[in-house]
Amino acid sequence: MARFFLILAFALASVGSLALAGLVERTFRVGKMNISRLCEKRVIAAVNGQMPGPTLEVLEGDTVEVHVINESPYNITIHWHGVFQRLSAWADGPDMITQCPIRPGNSYTYKFNIIGQEGTLWWHAHVSFLRATIYGALVIRPRRGAKAYPFPKPDREVPILLGEWWNANVVNVEKEALLSGNGANKSDAYTINGKPGDLYNCSSKEIYKLKVESGKTYMLRIINAALNNQLFFKVAGHGFTVVAADAAYTKPYKTDVIVIAPGQSIDALMIADAPPALYYMAAQLYQSISPPFPPFDNTTTRGVLEYKYSHVQSPHPQMPEMPAFNNTATAHRFYTNLTGLLMPGKPTVPLEIDTHMFITFGLGIDPCQTNQVTCNRTRGATVASMNNVSFRNPTKMSLLEARYKNVKGIYAEDFPNKPPLFFDFTNASVNTDPTLAPLLFAPKETKVKRLKYNSRVEMVLQNTAIISNENHPLHLHGYNFYVLAQGFGNYNKSMAEQSYNLVDPHERNTIAVPTGGWAAIRFVANNPGVWIMHCHFDIHLPLGLATVFEVENGPTPDSILLPPPMDFPQC
Ligand code: C2O
């Protein structure tokens, strides 16, 4: 009898949790959209005729099903940036890593659960430069209602998507950048929620407006969806309290400037406590490359914060004072001041490590034979690499399918744990000293790093000065990682380890590694599948700044990758 009640109670409990976990079903039609920007009319590829596309709003614990119908002339994939995709790697989205693209005229349903993460994420195309116009917010709220926020409930929540705009077809922009061999691809504008704002030609009406009421609290869900640039973001006369980054709660951090790299998201509370008037919000470049600079987009996008019932609205909104484009000190302060919010029941940073990796990354040169098209230059073409491997996508079959079907010859499992050589990584002399010349070359290969299920991994990410030092936003799919420490120059083990935050490190899915510096991160490989880690500057991905983790299945039924869905796209 007791046993019966136990089973009954268990059954009721699981019904209860089923009732809580909802299904969010959406249809994304990827098709043409007519749009006027910066005095030109264009036809772009967009989802449901919107740019940014629709915001997906879910509760933690929900199942999401998005039917993507490709009515565009391009191959399409959609990536749910930052979603763990536990056991559902088939829905992750990176082109040729977890799937072949959805061909024009075809469709695919992405199905996944949202578990153990709350805050702001986003979705975007993960093939060529198409994410410039195919992107949107993914908002995850606590399933127990707004009371479950670990901070006072905001009065309103507002997605702020920062984007980048070209007066051109973005697929061609990418082709030209790759053909020119130098990756030059300067954009024409930045945008806030798709609008460039009044500092650009023909744009005085294309400006984002946020109406606020005195005394109310607004949670800005800020996403950097720009392709190739980190951005500073400010609102004149207002400060922020950062409460989450990459859909992981942080300890409250007060600041009046936000720095955000492509791929990252920041949830920031902003109280409307300034004298009622008009205020600009603005975003502009954080450029971390050491001079000489390549051509870059140094324009400013802005929107307007407008107080309701304001009787003293001057026609000239106040403009925030923006940091200089090369203000690395401000960027570094923001990036290194975040700490994680410890919560009962939430996993914490692993203290024991099974796999240590030391990964150098940055630009490099492709010796001519593997990339003839771009080899009419004296020294070969620009590539990018991790541990001297310039990642090349497979062409016949996605890595995930090859792994699942055990097809040999698609990829090799010997991505190295360290670079072929240790040198003075961040010293620019690597570019001029003839004895160091061999260090500049990185061959194109499809190599992955194989990890045992549940292995605890520490990665030191070391920037190199090859071609140029630069702060690259490195994004890992399928996981969050803990950020232990960051610094400039070469990583020094004994000194660095003393600075590790092993108490309350913040979590990220994308880390902006300091220019000419390093970062140390840890994660637990508890999600079987193949997961790409890459630079979230879109131009560096086809150049090869990527690697892939192949994570083995675990011993229990709930640690085994599920089979591919019936409608899985074929190459
Ligand atoms: Cu947001 Cu692999 O990307």
Side-chain angles (χ1 to χ4, degrees), residues 237-263:
H238 293 76
F240 311 108
T241 304
V242 173
V243 291
D246 297 5
Y249 293 121
T250 60
K251 292 220 168 71
Y253 171 62
K254 283 195 191 315
T255 176
D256 67 344
V257 58
I258 281 164
V259 193
I260 187 163

Short mmCIF file of all heavy atoms in Angstrom, two decimals, residues 237-263:
data_model
loop_
_atom_site.label_atom_id
_atom_site.label_comp_id
_atom_site.label_asym_id
_atom_site.label_seq_id
_atom_site.Cartn_x
_atom_site.Cartn_y
_atom_site.Cartn_z
N GLY A 237 23.11 59.89 -19.06
CA GLY A 237 22.41 60.20 -17.81
C GLY A 237 21.94 59.01 -17.01
O GLY A 237 21.27 59.17 -15.99
N HIS A 238 22.26 57.79 -17.44
CA HIS A 238 21.77 56.59 -16.77
C HIS A 238 22.89 55.59 -16.53
O HIS A 238 23.80 55.47 -17.34
CB HIS A 238 20.67 55.93 -17.59
CG HIS A 238 19.43 56.75 -17.69
ND1 HIS A 238 19.34 57.86 -18.51
CD2 HIS A 238 18.24 56.65 -17.05
CE1 HIS A 238 18.15 58.40 -18.37
NE2 HIS A 238 17.45 57.69 -17.50
N GLY A 239 22.76 54.87 -15.42
CA GLY A 239 23.72 53.80 -15.13
C GLY A 239 23.02 52.45 -15.24
O GLY A 239 21.80 52.36 -15.39
N PHE A 240 23.81 51.40 -15.18
CA PHE A 240 23.28 50.04 -15.28
C PHE A 240 23.72 49.21 -14.07
O PHE A 240 24.77 49.46 -13.49
CB PHE A 240 23.82 49.30 -16.50
CG PHE A 240 23.74 50.06 -17.79
CD1 PHE A 240 24.89 50.57 -18.38
CD2 PHE A 240 22.53 50.24 -18.42
CE1 PHE A 240 24.83 51.25 -19.59
CE2 PHE A 240 22.45 50.92 -19.63
CZ PHE A 240 23.61 51.43 -20.21
N THR A 241 22.91 48.20 -13.76
CA THR A 241 23.37 47.13 -12.89
C THR A 241 23.30 45.84 -13.70
O THR A 241 22.21 45.38 -14.05
CB THR A 241 22.49 47.01 -11.64
OG1 THR A 241 22.48 48.28 -10.97
CG2 THR A 241 23.03 45.95 -10.70
N VAL A 242 24.46 45.29 -14.03
CA VAL A 242 24.50 44.04 -14.79
C VAL A 242 24.08 42.90 -13.87
O VAL A 242 24.58 42.79 -12.75
CB VAL A 242 25.91 43.79 -15.35
CG1 VAL A 242 26.00 42.41 -16.01
CG2 VAL A 242 26.29 44.88 -16.34
N VAL A 243 23.13 42.07 -14.31
CA VAL A 243 22.67 40.95 -13.47
C VAL A 243 22.85 39.60 -14.16
O VAL A 243 22.69 38.55 -13.52
CB VAL A 243 21.19 41.13 -13.05
CG1 VAL A 243 21.05 42.29 -12.05
CG2 VAL A 243 20.27 41.35 -14.26
N ALA A 244 23.17 39.59 -15.44
CA ALA A 244 23.41 38.32 -16.12
C ALA A 244 24.26 38.55 -17.35
O ALA A 244 24.26 39.65 -17.93
CB ALA A 244 22.10 37.65 -16.52
N ALA A 245 25.02 37.52 -17.72
CA ALA A 245 25.80 37.55 -18.95
C ALA A 245 25.62 36.19 -19.62
O ALA A 245 25.69 35.16 -18.94
CB ALA A 245 27.28 37.80 -18.65
N ASP A 246 25.35 36.17 -20.90
CA ASP A 246 25.20 34.92 -21.64
C ASP A 246 24.22 33.96 -20.94
O ASP A 246 24.47 32.75 -20.84
CB ASP A 246 26.56 34.22 -21.85
CG ASP A 246 27.51 35.06 -22.69
OD1 ASP A 246 27.18 36.21 -23.03
OD2 ASP A 246 28.61 34.58 -23.01
N ALA A 247 23.12 34.49 -20.44
CA ALA A 247 22.08 33.69 -19.76
C ALA A 247 22.63 32.93 -18.55
O ALA A 247 22.26 31.78 -18.30
CB ALA A 247 21.36 32.75 -20.72
N ALA A 248 23.52 33.55 -17.80
CA ALA A 248 23.95 33.03 -16.50
C ALA A 248 23.99 34.24 -15.58
O ALA A 248 24.55 35.28 -15.93
CB ALA A 248 25.33 32.37 -16.61
N TYR A 249 23.37 34.10 -14.39
CA TYR A 249 23.29 35.24 -13.49
C TYR A 249 24.67 35.62 -12.97
O TYR A 249 25.53 34.76 -12.75
CB TYR A 249 22.38 34.92 -12.30
CG TYR A 249 20.93 34.75 -12.71
CD1 TYR A 249 20.25 33.56 -12.48
CD2 TYR A 249 20.24 35.79 -13.33
CE1 TYR A 249 18.92 33.40 -12.85
CE2 TYR A 249 18.92 35.65 -13.71
CZ TYR A 249 18.26 34.45 -13.47
OH TYR A 249 16.95 34.31 -13.85
N THR A 250 24.86 36.94 -12.80
CA THR A 250 26.10 37.44 -12.22
C THR A 250 25.75 38.12 -10.89
O THR A 250 24.59 38.45 -10.65
CB THR A 250 26.77 38.50 -13.13
OG1 THR A 250 25.87 39.59 -13.30
CG2 THR A 250 27.12 37.91 -14.49
N LYS A 251 26.76 38.34 -10.08
CA LYS A 251 26.55 39.24 -8.94
C LYS A 251 26.25 40.60 -9.54
O LYS A 251 26.81 40.95 -10.58
CB LYS A 251 27.83 39.30 -8.09
CG LYS A 251 28.15 38.00 -7.39
CD LYS A 251 28.66 38.25 -5.96
CE LYS A 251 28.68 36.94 -5.20
NZ LYS A 251 29.76 36.04 -5.70
N PRO A 252 25.38 41.39 -8.89
CA PRO A 252 25.06 42.70 -9.46
C PRO A 252 26.34 43.52 -9.64
O PRO A 252 27.16 43.58 -8.74
CB PRO A 252 24.14 43.34 -8.41
CG PRO A 252 23.64 42.20 -7.58
CD PRO A 252 24.67 41.12 -7.64
N TYR A 253 26.52 44.07 -10.83
CA TYR A 253 27.72 44.86 -11.12
C TYR A 253 27.29 46.21 -11.70
O TYR A 253 26.63 46.26 -12.74
CB TYR A 253 28.63 44.10 -12.09
CG TYR A 253 29.78 44.93 -12.60
CD1 TYR A 253 30.75 45.43 -11.74
CD2 TYR A 253 29.89 45.23 -13.96
CE1 TYR A 253 31.79 46.21 -12.20
CE2 TYR A 253 30.94 46.01 -14.44
CZ TYR A 253 31.88 46.50 -13.55
OH TYR A 253 32.92 47.28 -14.02
N LYS A 254 27.66 47.27 -11.00
CA LYS A 254 27.24 48.62 -11.42
C LYS A 254 28.26 49.22 -12.37
O LYS A 254 29.46 49.18 -12.11
CB LYS A 254 27.10 49.52 -10.19
CG LYS A 254 25.83 49.30 -9.39
CD LYS A 254 25.62 50.46 -8.44
CE LYS A 254 24.53 50.22 -7.41
NZ LYS A 254 23.29 49.62 -7.90
N THR A 255 27.78 49.82 -13.44
CA THR A 255 28.66 50.41 -14.44
C THR A 255 27.85 51.41 -15.27
O THR A 255 26.62 51.30 -15.32
CB THR A 255 29.25 49.32 -15.36
OG1 THR A 255 30.04 49.94 -16.38
CG2 THR A 255 28.17 48.50 -16.04
N ASP A 256 28.53 52.36 -15.89
CA ASP A 256 27.77 53.23 -16.81
C ASP A 256 28.11 52.92 -18.27
O ASP A 256 27.60 53.54 -19.18
CB ASP A 256 28.02 54.71 -16.49
CG ASP A 256 29.45 55.13 -16.79
OD1 ASP A 256 30.32 54.24 -16.94
OD2 ASP A 256 29.70 56.34 -16.89
N VAL A 257 28.99 51.91 -18.46
CA VAL A 257 29.32 51.52 -19.84
C VAL A 257 29.31 50.00 -19.94
O VAL A 257 29.74 49.30 -19.01
CB VAL A 257 30.69 52.10 -20.29
CG1 VAL A 257 31.81 51.64 -19.38
CG2 VAL A 257 31.00 51.72 -21.74
N ILE A 258 28.76 49.51 -21.04
CA ILE A 258 28.75 48.07 -21.27
C ILE A 258 29.61 47.79 -22.48
O ILE A 258 29.58 48.54 -23.47
CB ILE A 258 27.30 47.59 -21.44
CG1 ILE A 258 26.69 47.48 -20.04
CG2 ILE A 258 27.21 46.25 -22.17
CD1 ILE A 258 25.24 47.40 -19.99
N VAL A 259 30.42 46.76 -22.38
CA VAL A 259 31.23 46.33 -23.52
C VAL A 259 30.74 44.95 -23.89
O VAL A 259 30.56 44.09 -23.02
CB VAL A 259 32.73 46.26 -23.14
CG1 VAL A 259 33.57 46.12 -24.40
CG2 VAL A 259 33.13 47.47 -22.35
N ILE A 260 30.52 44.75 -25.16
CA ILE A 260 29.89 43.50 -25.56
C ILE A 260 30.46 43.04 -26.89
O ILE A 260 30.56 43.81 -27.85
CB ILE A 260 28.35 43.66 -25.54
CG1 ILE A 260 27.64 42.34 -25.77
CG2 ILE A 260 27.88 44.72 -26.52
CD1 ILE A 260 26.18 42.34 -25.37
N ALA A 261 30.89 41.78 -26.91
CA ALA A 261 31.50 41.22 -28.11
C ALA A 261 30.44 40.46 -28.89
O ALA A 261 29.46 39.98 -28.31
CB ALA A 261 32.64 40.28 -27.71
N PRO A 262 30.63 40.31 -30.20
CA PRO A 262 29.68 39.52 -30.99
C PRO A 262 29.46 38.16 -30.33
O PRO A 262 30.42 37.48 -29.96
CB PRO A 262 30.36 39.38 -32.34
CG PRO A 262 31.19 40.60 -32.46
CD PRO A 262 31.68 40.87 -31.06
N GLY A 263 28.21 37.77 -30.18
CA GLY A 263 27.88 36.50 -29.56
C GLY A 263 27.46 36.64 -28.11
O GLY A 263 26.75 35.80 -27.58
#
